Amino acid sequence: MAVQGENRPAWIGLTRVVIQRVLSALLTLFLVSIVIFIAASLLPGDAAQEVLGQSATPQQVAALRHEMGLDQPAITRYVDWLVAMLSGDPGRSYIADMEVSDLIGERLRNSLTLAGVTALVSSVLALTIGIVSAINRGSKLDRTLNVVTLSLVAVPEFLIATIFVLIFSVKLVWLPSIAMVSPDASWGDMLRSMALPVLCLTFVVTAQMARLTRAAVADQLDRPYVEMARLKGVPFRRIILFHVLPNAAGPVLNAMALSLSYLMGGAIIIETIFSFPGLASLMVNAVTSRDMPLLQSCAMIFCTAYLVLILIADVVAILANPRLRS
Amino acid sequence: MIRSLASRAAALPLSGRIGLALVLFWLVIAVFGPLIAPYPVGRFVDEEVFSPATSQFWLGSDYLGRDVLSRLIWGARYTVLLALGAAVLAVFTGTSIALFAAIRGGVVDEVISRTMDTLISIPSKIFSLVLVAAFGSSLSLLMLIAAFTYIPGNYRIARALAVNLVGMDFVSVARARGEGAIHIAWREVLPNMIHPLMADMGLRFVFIVLLLSGLSFLGLGVQPPHADLGSLVRENISGLPQGASAILSPAIAIATLTVGANLFIDALKGKGDS
């Protein structure tokens, strides 16, 4: 068929652009790893000295420096670290004296569950809020929602958490204020203990996501095709469902992926408050104890997740807008 | 001058005026705090801990029986001044680099922009945590770390603005006149991008307040004997089950500052569009 003949080159061009974006993201990730490595190596003094304390003899420090590879030049250490990371062995923690991969393993799974549930809840909420306020643009409802989401974006996470703990754990005694997650807990227990962290993170993410969703839908409403459909006499509900929403899907998905990156910042505070055994609270512990191998690994995982979200947003935007394909 | 500013403020929507009032309120507290505080910041004035608000202690007492209001006023001083310093530093540095890159163009621009793109790909809280772990968290270091974390974001916006302006006729004319790069940056380009830059500085200020109080809340920011608003929330966390004013008031104080600034900036932007 003729249509297929026309489609093929476009399809190839699209693949090329997407591959380009993926390669560019990989390059950025590589550069990020250099920045993280340099920042973590800038530790004033010496990691070996730090571990052994003030009373260590120079011989002990020298021996540990050798064992940790600190007597190697920085470039050698960086390459060793990068190769080890890529082969799934990010080294040993200074403090816990355990393999970093063992420390991270389960906590990464917990954090991903937390992020996944939050993403699900907040996208449903944000879509509803965003679409409702875009359709009612300029109305009292829209202006109120605008001020509410604008304010929520700027509220510190720990205030939201404090208020929810006061309401749900202290006053109503419905939910635990400490999120104990054990591997053998039932699904119900798990959900109950994750309820408050998810609720708090949802507040943080939804506000941002709803604002971006509203902007994306409002942008579509200004397009000539909407006016055309109106002049033809298409009912408003039909215009929204069959004309605007399919066209807004790309920008809206893009907005959602971007706002999910707010999860990272939020998770650091929220996981710590609720003692949630996740990756973000592990990273905070690593900073407190200046456990550099653990800190580097956690930072790299967060940066990778962030870049993947940005990449998804980018690719969705390309798929949705043919003009970006070339 | 003052009258024109006042009439511009009156033209803002209600949310913008509320925002402006909140920001001004906290600026006054930050500057004149030591004169207003009813008690010395570290003195134990109450026998009871976490006592509720009374006419003697307007916001009650904290976990050691100190006056919460006095500690809050001092904490606001740290929060506002540190964040203001960091925001000014971030915007000054980011914009200077952006002007340099935009006017030079070519490989210089390319290398700087790629570096900034890399730095912007690291979530700001993650980046600042790594920096705090590496350098520690004295007051001046915290300000530098917060500024450094937000330089790339300001660079991106300032460069986009500057590149547009550098392509305009009046800059070409200035170049043809034989003006130097500094003259072009300072007299031709910068005055034309000052309004969006100020709005960006306001946003950076909000981000930095949230970042620094977040760090302090985690115990990684401002260290005792100094205390900013985030540290006050942290040190009184044991009062949470009683819903003590000592933990709620500093948290609400931060929110009024950041929400106020956000509403004010949004109102200014809305006016610029129309």
Side-chain angles (χ1 to χ4, degrees), chain B residues 173-243:
Chain B
V173 170
R175 278 200 166 137
R177 273 205 314 267
E179 304 286 6
I182 293 180
H183 175 93
I184 292 177
W186 186 249
R187 304 298 292 272
E188 310 284 344
V189 181
L190 191 61
N192 286 301
M193 53 193 261
I194 201 75
H195 285 282
L197 268 188
M198 287 294 121
D200 187 58
M201 185 153 88
L203 279 184
R204 306 278 145 207
F205 173 74
V206 172
F207 293 151
I208 292 173
V209 168
L210 291 173
L211 176 76
L212 287 178
S213 29
L215 283 177
S216 293
F217 176 76
L218 295 172
L220 302 168
V222 176
Q223 302 295 326
H226 308 293
D228 69 349
L229 294 173
S231 331
L232 293 184
V233 179
R234 175 188 175 79
E235 66 184 23
N236 290 304
I237 196 89
S238 57
L240 181 56
Q242 316 159 38

Side-chain angles (χ1 to χ4, degrees), chain B residues 32-256:
Chain B
F32 299 105
L35 303 173
I36 311 168
Y39 297 93
V41 66
R43 186 177 295 169
F44 309 110
V45 289
D46 195 355
E47 301 276 304
E48 308 243 341
V49 296
F50 293 131
S51 61
T54 58
S55 60
Q56 195 185 359
F57 309 111
W58 287 7
L59 291 175
S61 65
D62 76 349
Y63 76 115
L64 291 175
R66 293 173 294 192
D67 177 46
V68 171
L69 180 61
S70 308
R71 291 190 66 73
L72 186 90
I73 289 171
W74 276 90
R77 193 178 165 85
Y78 281 98
T79 297
V80 171
L81 296 185
L82 270 181
L84 206 57
V88 170
L89 199 60
V91 169
F92 177 77
T93 319
T95 305
S96 305
I97 303 175
L99 285 171
F100 177 71
I103 290 171
R104 267 296 167 82
V107 186
V108 177
D109 182 25
E110 199 111 330
V111 170
I112 297 179
S113 294
R114 186 73 231 188
T115 312
M116 291 292 181
D117 275 349
T118 305
L119 291 177
I120 222 171
S121 311
I122 306 175
S124 48
K125 278 211 179 99
I126 307 288
F127 195 34
S128 53
L129 279 180
V130 173
L131 291 177
V132 164
F135 294 106
S137 48
S138 69
L139 289 177
S140 45
L141 269 175
L142 277 176
M143 193 160 91
L144 286 178
I145 288 173
F148 192 70
T149 308
Y150 285 107
I151 285 175
N154 173 260
Y155 169 86
R156 185 136 90 173
I157 286 172
R159 184 184 166 277
L161 291 167
V163 163
N164 265 339
L165 290 169
V166 165
M168 291 205 172
D169 286 344
F170 62 88
V171 175
S172 309
V173 170
R175 278 200 166 137
R177 273 205 314 267
E179 304 286 6
I182 293 180
H183 175 93
I184 292 177
W186 186 249
R187 304 298 292 272
E188 310 284 344
V189 181
L190 191 61
N192 286 301
M193 53 193 261
I194 201 75
H195 285 282
L197 268 188
M198 287 294 121
D200 187 58
M201 185 153 88
L203 279 184
R204 306 278 145 207
F205 173 74
V206 172
F207 293 151
I208 292 173
V209 168
L210 291 173
L211 176 76
L212 287 178
S213 29
L215 283 177
S216 293
F217 176 76
L218 295 172
L220 302 168
V222 176
Q223 302 295 326
H226 308 293
D228 69 349
L229 294 173
S231 331
L232 293 184
V233 179
R234 175 188 175 79
E235 66 184 23
N236 290 304
I237 196 89
S238 57
L240 181 56
Q242 316 159 38
S245 143
I247 178 170
L248 284 176
S249 38
I252 292 171
I254 299 169
T256 53

